[in-house]
Amino acid sequence: MKILLLGSGAREHAIIKALIRTGSEAGSIICAPGNDLIALEVEIKAGIDPNNTFEVASLALEEAVDLVVIGPEAPLVLGVADALRSQGIAVFGPDQAAAALEGSKNFAKEIMAQADIPTGMANKCSTLEEVAAALDDFGAPYVVKADGLAAGKGVIVTQDRELALEHAAKFIHDGILVEEFLDGQEVSLFFLSDGKTVMPLSPAQDYKRAFDNDEGPNTGGMGAYSPVPWLPEGFVEEITKRVAEPTIIEMAKRGTPFVGLLYCGLILTERGTKVIEFNARFGDPETQVVLRRLQTNLADLLMRAATGKLDVGPVAEFSDYCAVTVVLASEGYPNSVAEVREVTGIAQAEAIDDVEVCKAGPIGRVLSVVGYAQGFQEARTLAYEGMARIHLAGGHFRNDIGLKVSH
Ligand code: AMP
Ligand code: GLY
């Protein structure tokens, strides 16, 4: 089976490693545009813009690929999957209308209301006066969200009303959601979906804040671990029934079936588990730990999801080993953008058994180091031993990833 994977980040690198680990031939995978480390494992097409429908469709046809897997959200929201499907190409990734589950937080709330899915109360605002009124309605801490895609920068959670209003002003042209504050542990749970059937993967916890002890601004994710040993018994089954299935049914009912990865961002509050967000693609860095533990043929799972056959064949199985990943970010991330600086020591890190490095971009989140072992303590030690061998001037990473589950 020949696969074209779109994207160039650590998530895509992790998907490639998992494809190969679970039985795909490296020679049957193309990544576009990919990056320098991905190029060491599979063929890349560095000149391709994954958001350019024409370039992607031409490449898929030229290379006669059997399946296109879309890594990032931007091409999904732009309708790249629609264009490929209209050419008869199998695609793992939702059409534009279904990707709105991630592309518009208001749309996601509408679906959740319709399908009776537990989530926080929220007010849709289109003027700053409405925002101010909603802030006072809900009270502090204030949660303000931009409606559209904002690369992890659209949400602010703050005690400071002025800051909340300032944030709203930045995104008001696009629409704002003011949400009730939800308190609890967060969990990411991914589902493969073929439009009618869902299949859960294994849960992970992501660390959203930039610095140790959950301090600093929100980021795209600074680390993750999987599995999540403290979850209540039956958690995955409950979320399947209460969240993933009703969402997929509601999308199908509307004539916009969701085919691809449904990412459920969840929070365990005292009043039950609630959805914080949906994404329409694999999470980064959770994918690095979830897929590290996958034991089922990933290419087969993605193909079955893309072709409406998820209910035929094996379900996703995971090892009982633990995976911990730590993200290295460049100086200033997530607030200011530093210059591109050289990263060294990656090969030395990967020389350690059961340490993997997934490469992201030249700035921002630069790479993630994954440790894999029988217990969390060992997996965490491996990830940090790997990180200690890597050097990036001004680079920073969190020191507390997986700490609370490793004793
Ligand atoms: P989102 O992009 O909606 O996932 O928001 C990013 C992060 O902001 C989440 O992972 C949470 O850490 C935080 N957050 C979002 N919504 C809320 C909420 N209603 N209450 C508390 N924290 C939230
Ligand atoms: N790690 C959060 C995300 O992928 O959106």
Side-chain angles (χ1 to χ4, degrees):
M1 187 198 308
K2 196 161 178 188
I3 298 177
L4 169 61
L5 172 64
L6 298 183
S8 61
R11 161 186 50 217
E12 286 74 28
H13 199 175
I15 292 171
I16 288 165
K17 285 177 185 289
L19 283 167
I20 295 170
R21 195 183 301 117
T22 61
S24 290
E25 295 281 341
S28 69
I29 304 167
I30 300 172
C31 185
N35 65 40
D36 55 336
L37 251 74
I38 290 176
L40 301 179
E41 304 199 39
V42 301
E43 182 184 357
I44 67 163
K45 297 281 184 186
I48 297 288
D49 172 4
N51 296 333
N52 184 317
T53 304
F54 178 76
E55 285 183 20
V56 171
S58 306
L59 177 64
L61 292 171
E62 222 168 83
E63 297 285 340
V65 301
D66 301 294
L67 174 68
V68 178
V69 178
I70 302 182
E73 60 275 21
L76 296 168
V77 169
L78 288 169
V80 170
D82 308 51
L84 293 167
R85 283 199 183 95
S86 72
Q87 306 253 12
I89 301 165
V91 185
F92 182 82
D95 279 353
Q96 185 170 39
L101 272 182
E102 171 165 6
S104 164
K105 291 189 188 284
N106 279 315
F107 176 76
K109 286 287 187 198
E110 195 184 304
I111 295 292
M112 286 189 268
Q114 194 72 42
D116 195 24
I117 293 166
T119 186
M121 283 184 300
N123 280 4
K124 183 177 163 177
C125 306
S126 46
T127 65
L128 288 175
E129 292 68 40
E130 287 171 9
V131 172
L135 291 177
D136 295 336
D137 247 11
F138 287 121
Y142 303 106
V143 181
V144 177
K145 302 185 173 187
D147 181 53
L149 289 186
K153 297 199 174 93
V155 176
I156 194 169
V157 181
T158 177
Q159 294 283 348
D160 184 336
R161 190 174 178 279
E162 278 311 301
L163 217 58
L165 276 171
E166 243 170 65
H167 184 80
K170 250 189 277 172
F171 293 99
I172 192 76
H173 57 277
D174 211 21
I176 288 287
L177 211 63
V178 176
E179 196 170 296
E180 78 174 298
F181 176 78
L182 299 170
D183 196 18
Q185 287 290 321
E186 286 181 48
V187 172
S188 304
L189 183 56
F190 300 163
F191 291 84
L192 304 178
S193 170
D194 66 4
K196 32 186 217 298
T197 305
V198 295
M199 183 191 290
L201 303 186
S202 186
Q205 186 168 50
D206 179 19
Y207 291 71
K208 296 257 157 123
R209 299 286 184 143
F211 310 124
D212 287 7
N213 305 313
D214 294 331
E215 283 170 19
N218 265 328
T219 69
M222 293 299 290
Y225 64 82
S226 177
V228 182
W230 47 264
L231 284 172
E233 181 86 26
F235 179 83
V236 170
E237 292 72 20
E238 181 201 330
I239 301 306
T240 306
K241 291 268 168 298
R242 286 289 281 133
V243 178
E245 285 177 355
T247 302
I248 294 307
I249 290 170
E250 179 61 27
M251 295 303 288
K253 226 193 268 173
R254 293 177 175 229
T256 54
F258 186 97
V259 175
L261 191 120
L262 180 67
Y263 168 135
C264 300
L266 305 160
I267 188 156
L268 283 79
T269 77
E270 278 178 356
R271 290 177 294 135
T273 301
K274 298 185 188 242
V275 175
I276 275 216
E277 66 166 342
F278 284 132
N279 290 319
R281 37 91 197 156
F282 282 101
D284 188 347
E286 296 98 314
T287 299
Q288 285 86 309
V289 286
V290 172
L291 293 189
R292 183 67 187 84
R293 300 179 44 241
L294 180 70
Q295 296 192 299
T296 316
N297 186 289
L298 179 58
D300 175 60
L301 290 171
L302 299 178
M303 185 58 141
R304 279 163 49 209
T307 53
K309 297 188 189 116
L310 214 44
D311 55 342
V312 192
V315 299
E317 303 274 2
F318 293 85
S319 84
D320 53 13
Y321 269 42
C322 305
V324 172
T325 191
V326 183
V327 171
L328 176 64
S330 51
E331 186 171 359
Y333 177 81
N335 292 329
S336 59
V337 185
E339 72 220 9
V340 175
R341 293 182 187 140
E342 192 191 3
V343 181
T344 56
I346 292 176
Q348 288 81 349
E350 286 207 298
I352 306 171
D353 278 348
D354 291 320
V355 171
E356 261 178 20
V357 177
C358 296
K359 179 75 190 296
I363 47 170
R365 291 190 295 170
V366 166
L367 55 79
S368 43
V369 184
V370 186
Y372 180 70
Q374 200 163 5
F376 276 112
Q377 196 164 3
E378 207 187 329
R380 183 179 133 75
T381 303
L382 284 171
Y384 281 105
E385 276 175 13
M387 190 63 92
R389 296 188 180 190
I390 294 173
H391 185 72
L392 165 66
H396 63 97
F397 56 86
R398 281 181 61 156
N399 296 286
D400 60 348
I401 307 298
L403 186 59
K404 64 180 174 228
V405 285
S406 38
H407 40 249

